[in-house]
């Protein structure tokens, strides 16, 4: 990062992101997002992501996010389920297989970190 900055994200224009049809379990969810910053080595990514109502599956990255608007229930395979909404922070563990039931269009700010591979 060459400088510090601030960004108003609730109404930030996002770019459509393709969603693999095999991940959609119900509804017609659409995903959009924008990478705001990425480290030179690509291991750290900061951005904004949005999904419209529906049910989708995912395999997670090591991620911390804060929900700006909307709500969803996230079920972690073999683990727990939790519901997130505006102001909630969540942490997802890399490799977790999840099912997202999006109740209202959800917009989040996220930070993803990819671990260093052992050589």
């Amino acid at each position: 990062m060459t400088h510090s900055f601030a960004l108003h994200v609730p109404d930030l224009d996002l770019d459509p992101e393709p969603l693999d049809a095999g991940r959609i379990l119900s509804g017609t969810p659409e995903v959009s997002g924008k990478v705001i910053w990425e480290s030179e080595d690509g291991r750290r990514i900061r951005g904004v992501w949005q999904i419209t109502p529906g049910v989708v599956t995912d395999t997670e990255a090591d991620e911390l996010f804060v929900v700006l608007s909307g709500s969803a229930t996230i079920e972690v395979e073999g683990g727990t389920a939790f519901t997130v909404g505006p102001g909630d922070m969540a942490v997802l563990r890399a490799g977790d297989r999840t099912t997202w039931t999006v109740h209202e269009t959800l917009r989040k700010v996220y930070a993803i970190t990819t671990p260093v591979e052992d050589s």
Side-chain angles (χ1 to χ4, degrees), residues 64-67 82-91:
L64 175 139
F65 68 86
V66 175
V67 177
F82 50 92
T83 300
V84 294
D88 289 336
M89 181 184 83
V91 175

Side-chain angles (χ1 to χ4, degrees), residues 1-5:
M1 183 177 334
T2 59
H3 60 279
S4 299
F5 64 93

Side-chain angles (χ1 to χ4, degrees), residues 31 73 104 114 116-117:
V31 172
T73 300
E104 298 173 75
T114 305
V116 175
E117 297 287 325

Side-chain angles (χ1 to χ4, degrees), residues 8-116:
H8 185 75
V9 295
D11 53 2
L12 181 68
D13 286 332
L14 304 178
D15 302 318
E17 295 181 359
L19 183 59
D20 179 0
R23 292 181 41 210
I24 300 171
L25 300 181
S26 177
T28 54
E30 295 180 4
V31 172
S32 56
K34 185 173 292 285
V35 172
I36 303 301
W37 177 84
E38 185 171 351
S39 64
E40 287 185 26
D41 63 6
R43 289 187 46 246
R44 295 173 291 146
I45 301 170
R46 311 299 184 242
V48 181
W49 185 83
Q50 181 170 289
I51 185 168
T52 62
V55 181
V56 299
T57 62
D58 199 9
T59 301
E60 302 301 337
D62 181 12
E63 178 181 355
L64 175 139
F65 68 86
V66 175
V67 177
L68 298 173
S69 59
S71 66
T73 300
I74 304 166
E75 296 175 60
V76 180
E77 185 178 282
T80 187
F82 50 92
T83 300
V84 294
D88 289 336
M89 181 184 83
V91 175
L92 299 171
R93 186 177 55 179
D96 277 350
R97 298 174 64 81
T98 57
T99 301
W100 289 63
T101 302
V102 180
H103 311 292
E104 298 173 75
T105 297
L106 182 132
R107 182 175 283 219
K108 67 179 182 176
V109 175
Y110 66 85
I112 293 175
T113 304
T114 305
V116 175

